[in-house]
């Protein structure tokens, strides 16, 4: 098995960031809930305890069983984890007299400890806790302090166990990556050999062994995840992979034809299915966003099922599931967070399909998926595509869906996206699109009064879609795009720009 770092999650908002920083150091890691610790085999070379929204003084605070970990393999406890160890072994944790949130600086560092190697006095760290360690057990020793927190970090004598009260995983801890590297390389001895190339070699080998000569069906979306999953499977089983690309009538302008051409250029076995009219019929008169998503999901599943049944002896369904989906499904609370909006391809295929599931990307974050794709020399047009919602333009048309509204929005969206590309802005934006609003406004064209539709343009910067800020596009660019849309798209006389962040808004409007 792959050598790895095990991250035990106590529900911290930063837990995924810990994993991302470890992965950036070319080291494989997995997140597991503190109350579902997997078997600690020889492949687990180190363990990290995350922070938590709980206080260790709470009656229902998490209390993991660390008997097979502490003192046996290198252990780094962060924030709640550090306070938990200190309290559990005879120290005292009390409410902070000065609640330390945000930036702080290390005023004392004992550089004789390998965890603190190459970290200078004055290094900025990020604090986020309401408790503090007032006293340590006898065999604990302080390794660093801030002006307000004497025990900012400690080491347990005779063990490779460390605790820190700050968060090295966040951007604002300027030497956080150095500290994590000290832990996983200098202390735990991991080899940093987990690279995109090694992932491809290992995954393709595992897929060959698992699938043999079986046939696999995969629903392509044109997006990064399904495309990279398809290429990994193609390398493993070749023509035994059957890809289905459904045109739901809610794609971007010319997208169906262009994406099919891209896939054929990669040598994939792809069938394009024109199901536009089925989707339009199912959506007729529906205005509620959740009802639209469910209608689109049902028709997609029915269409996919019908096409899959035309392939004889299919045994596997491939999916582009990525690691954030996996983490959420096994969260500390035992299930996904509150539903903000349902996803069109989540909820499973009909029981009668009875296919086994294969998910080649379930260990990867989104940015890692792209790096794996680049290592397989996939075209940048596919890998660099902005995320696009599964229900497509169906949730960017507020209100009911008609073919005419789709046509209008496709034209608007094309001008906006092509404009970003022409201006060299496309790759500086994480996601962009246009929204057709269910309002009409008065305008003037050629001395005549108009009463036509309005659109909103949306462009955001983000790393993972969990949070996002609106992109500060140049005024000159927005002015040109607005002018082009109003002059070239019949039915539109007003263009607005959405400057909401996520949270409190979402990236999509529905």
């Amino acid at each position: 098995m792959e050598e790895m770092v095990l991250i035990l999650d106590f529900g911290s908002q930063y837990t995924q960031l810990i994993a991302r920083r470890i992965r950036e150091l070319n080291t494989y890691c997995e997140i597991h809930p503190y109350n579902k610790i997997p078997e600690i085999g020889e492949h687990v070379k180190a363990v990290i305890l995350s922070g938590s929204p709980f206080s260790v003084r709470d009656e229902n605070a998490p209390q993991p069983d660390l008997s097979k970990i502490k003192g046996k393999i290198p252990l780094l406890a962060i924030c709640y984890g550090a306070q938990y160890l200190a309290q559990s072994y005879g120290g005292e944790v009390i409410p902070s007299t000065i609640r330390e949130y945000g930036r702080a600086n290390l005023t004392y560092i004992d550089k004789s400890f390998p965890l603190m190697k190459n970290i200078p006095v004055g290094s900025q760290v990020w604090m986020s806790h309401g408790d503090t360690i007032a006293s340590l057990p006898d065999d604990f020793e302080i390794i660093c302090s801030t002006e307000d927190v004497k025990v900012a970090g400690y080491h347990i004598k005779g063990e490779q166990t460390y605790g820190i009260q700050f968060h090295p995983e966040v951007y604002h801890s300027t030497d956080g990556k150095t500290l994590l590297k000290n832990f996983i390389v200098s202390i735990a001895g991991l080899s940093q050999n987990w690279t995109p190339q090694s992932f491809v070699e290992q995954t393709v080998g595992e897929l060959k062994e698992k699938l043999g000569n079986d046939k696999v069906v995969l629903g392509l979306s044109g997006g990064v995840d399904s495309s990279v999953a398809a290429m990994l499977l193609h390398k493993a089983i070749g023509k035994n992979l059957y890809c289905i690309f459904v045109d739901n009538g809610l794609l971007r302008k010319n997208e169906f034809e262009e994406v099919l051409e891209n896939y054929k250029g990669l040598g994939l076995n792809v069938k394009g299915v024109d199901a536009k009219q089925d989707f339009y019929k199912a959506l007729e008169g529906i205005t509620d966003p959740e009802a639209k998503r469910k209608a689109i999901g049902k028709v997609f599943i029915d269409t996919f099922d019908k096409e899959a049944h035309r392939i004889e002896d299919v045994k596997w369904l491939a999916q582009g599931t990525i690691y954030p989906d996996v983490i959420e499904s096994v969260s500390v609370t035992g299930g996904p967070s509150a539903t903000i909006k349902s996803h069109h391809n989540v909820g499973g295929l009909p029981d009668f399909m009875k296919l086994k599931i294969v998910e080649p990307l379930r260990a990867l974050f989104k940015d890692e998926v792209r790096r794996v794709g680049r290592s397989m020399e996939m075209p940048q047009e596919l890998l660099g595509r902005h995320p696009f919602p599964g229900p497509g333009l169906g949730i960017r048309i507020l209100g009911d869906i008609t073919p005419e509204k789709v046509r209008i929005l496709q034209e608007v969206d094309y001008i906006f996206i092509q404009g970003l590309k022409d201006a060299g802005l496309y790759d500086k934006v994480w996601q962009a699109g246009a929204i057709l609003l269910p309002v009409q406004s008065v305008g003037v064209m050629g001395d005549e009064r108009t009463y036509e539709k309005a659109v909103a343009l949306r462009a955001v910067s983000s790393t993972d879609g969990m949070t996002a800020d609106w992109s500060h596009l140049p005024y000159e660019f927005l002015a040109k795009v607005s002018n082009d849309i109003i002059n070239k798209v019949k039915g539109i006389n007003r263009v607005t720009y959405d400057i909401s962040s996520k949270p409190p808004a979402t990236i999509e409007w529905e």
Side-chain angles (χ1 to χ4, degrees):
M1 293 180 72
E2 185 87 46
E3 65 172 20
M4 61 170 277
V5 175
L6 171 63
I7 300 168
L8 295 183
D9 180 24
F10 295 96
S12 169
Q13 61 180 320
Y14 299 136
T15 303
Q16 280 200 36
L17 273 182
I18 300 172
R20 293 173 73 85
R21 296 295 169 263
I22 299 297
R23 298 279 185 90
E24 286 168 6
L25 293 165
N26 294 333
T27 301
Y28 183 64
C29 62
E30 289 182 4
I31 297 172
H32 289 265
Y34 75 90
N35 53 359
K36 297 177 184 174
I37 301 176
E39 187 170 338
I40 308 296
E42 288 186 5
H43 63 295
V44 178
K45 302 297 184 184
V47 175
I48 296 177
L49 307 183
S50 83
S52 175
F54 289 96
S55 163
V56 293
R57 297 175 298 103
D58 291 345
E59 192 176 326
N60 59 342
Q63 297 188 21
D65 176 8
L66 301 177
S67 59
K68 295 182 180 178
I69 298 170
K70 181 182 172 295
K72 296 180 172 65
I73 54 177
L75 174 63
L76 175 64
I78 296 173
C79 196
Y80 176 91
Q83 293 169 2
Y84 172 74
L85 287 183
Q87 178 169 277
S88 298
Y89 292 92
E92 184 183 13
V93 176
I94 61 173
S96 303
T97 52
I98 299 175
R99 291 168 67 83
E100 197 163 52
Y101 289 94
R103 294 173 180 84
N105 297 92
L106 297 178
T107 53
Y108 164 76
I109 295 175
D110 188 335
K111 295 188 179 181
S112 67
F113 292 95
L115 188 70
M116 307 310 293
K117 186 175 66 177
N118 297 323
I119 296 177
V121 171
S123 178
Q124 179 178 285
V125 295
W126 188 260
M127 297 286 190
S128 181
H129 54 88
D131 291 338
T132 195
I133 300 170
S135 64
L136 287 170
D138 292 341
D139 57 345
F140 286 45
E141 49 195 339
I142 295 173
I143 61 174
C144 61
S145 308
T146 70
E147 186 175 346
D148 297 317
V149 176
K150 185 178 180 182
V151 186
Y154 62 73
H155 168 252
I156 301 180
K157 295 175 184 176
E159 300 181 11
Q160 290 181 309
T161 301
Y162 293 84
I164 50 176
Q165 289 222 70
F166 54 89
H167 289 271
E169 68 271 23
V170 304
Y171 170 79
H172 300 290
S173 289
T174 51
D175 295 287
K177 197 168 181 179
T178 299
L179 185 146
L180 291 172
K181 184 177 180 181
N182 288 343
F183 177 66
I184 66 169
V185 178
S186 301
I187 295 170
L190 282 115
S191 55
Q192 292 185 279
N193 61 2
W194 195 70
T195 63
Q197 291 81 3
S198 69
F199 175 83
V200 170
E201 290 168 12
Q202 182 178 333
T203 303
V204 169
E206 289 172 355
L207 289 171
K208 283 180 177 177
E209 187 176 337
K210 179 188 240 180
L211 303 174
N213 291 318
D214 291 352
K215 292 181 181 177
V216 179
V217 63
L218 168 67
L220 285 171
S221 67
V224 176
D225 299 338
S226 66
S227 301
V228 173
M231 281 304 295
L232 286 167
L233 285 158
H234 178 67
K235 280 180 172 288
I237 61 172
K239 291 298 181 181
N240 274 355
L241 172 66
Y242 293 79
C243 300
I244 297 170
F245 183 34
V246 177
D247 184 358
N248 59 11
L250 304 167
L251 301 174
R252 287 176 155 151
K253 183 180 178 181
N254 302 328
E255 185 171 30
F256 185 62
E257 296 78 13
E258 288 173 1
V259 171
L260 274 179
E261 279 303 308
N262 275 333
Y263 284 141
K264 286 172 183 172
L266 292 171
L268 292 175
N269 180 16
V270 184
K271 180 179 182 181
V273 181
D274 182 352
K276 290 194 290 286
Q277 297 311 316
D278 294 335
F279 282 88
Y280 291 153
K281 185 177 179 181
L283 287 165
E284 197 170 331
I286 297 176
T287 59
D288 178 74
E290 275 298 291
K292 284 197 286 188
R293 285 175 176 269
K294 285 181 168 59
I296 291 167
K298 184 180 184 307
V299 178
F300 173 80
I301 286 171
D302 291 345
T303 306
F304 186 84
D305 178 53
K306 184 168 66 176
E307 293 299 325
H309 267 96
R310 291 176 176 164
I311 307 164
E312 290 184 7
D313 301 323
V314 172
K315 293 184 179 178
W316 297 85
L317 168 68
Q319 294 183 327
T321 308
I322 60 175
Y323 198 41
D325 306 326
V326 176
I327 296 169
E328 182 153 292
S329 69
V330 290
S331 68
V332 168
T333 56
S337 53
T339 300
I340 305 301
K341 50 197 175 187
S342 59
H343 292 271
H344 83 295
N345 58 350
V346 173
L349 289 166
D351 290 340
F352 54 80
M353 283 194 74
K354 291 185 170 54
L355 297 177
K356 293 182 282 186
I357 303 294
V358 57
E359 298 168 314
L361 306 177
R362 64 182 284 113
L364 301 183
F365 288 105
K366 189 78 166 186
D367 51 336
E368 294 172 327
V369 174
R370 286 194 168 95
R371 288 200 290 272
V372 165
R374 287 190 194 101
S375 77
M376 294 190 289
E377 300 182 344
M378 292 177 65
Q380 183 58 28
E381 306 93 81
L382 277 176
L383 298 178
R385 289 187 71 208
H386 289 176
F388 188 63
L393 302 181
I395 57 166
R396 292 183 178 176
I397 297 171
L398 306 194
D400 68 320
I401 311 292
T402 67
E404 176 59 11
K405 288 181 180 178
V406 172
R407 182 200 65 78
I408 290 173
L409 189 55
Q410 282 178 333
E411 295 296 335
V412 171
D413 179 86
Y414 180 80
I415 291 170
F416 183 32
I417 298 300
Q418 192 60 46
L420 287 168
K421 291 176 179 177
D422 293 344
L425 296 168
Y426 185 83
D427 291 333
K428 296 177 182 177
V429 169
W430 191 75
Q431 183 172 345
I435 298 93
L436 185 64
L437 305 180
V439 296
Q440 290 180 283
S441 70
V442 173
V444 179
M445 290 187 183
D447 295 328
E448 290 186 10
R449 175 185 184 275
T450 62
Y451 190 56
E452 295 180 331
K453 296 184 182 298
V455 291
L457 305 182
R458 180 78 158 138
V460 298
S461 57
S462 181
T463 54
D464 53 17
M466 301 297 290
T467 60
D469 196 10
W470 62 279
S471 296
H472 295 231
L473 298 177
Y475 289 154
E476 296 78 10
F477 169 78
L478 290 172
K480 183 179 186 309
V481 166
S482 172
N483 194 55
D484 285 349
I485 289 170
I486 291 170
N487 285 335
K488 295 177 181 178
V489 184
K490 187 177 179 181
I492 300 296
N493 71 353
R494 190 174 299 270
V495 176
T496 65
Y497 188 55
D498 182 349
I499 58 169
S500 312
S501 62
K502 176 187 180 180
T506 54
I507 294 175
E508 300 294 342
W509 281 40
E510 288 191 342

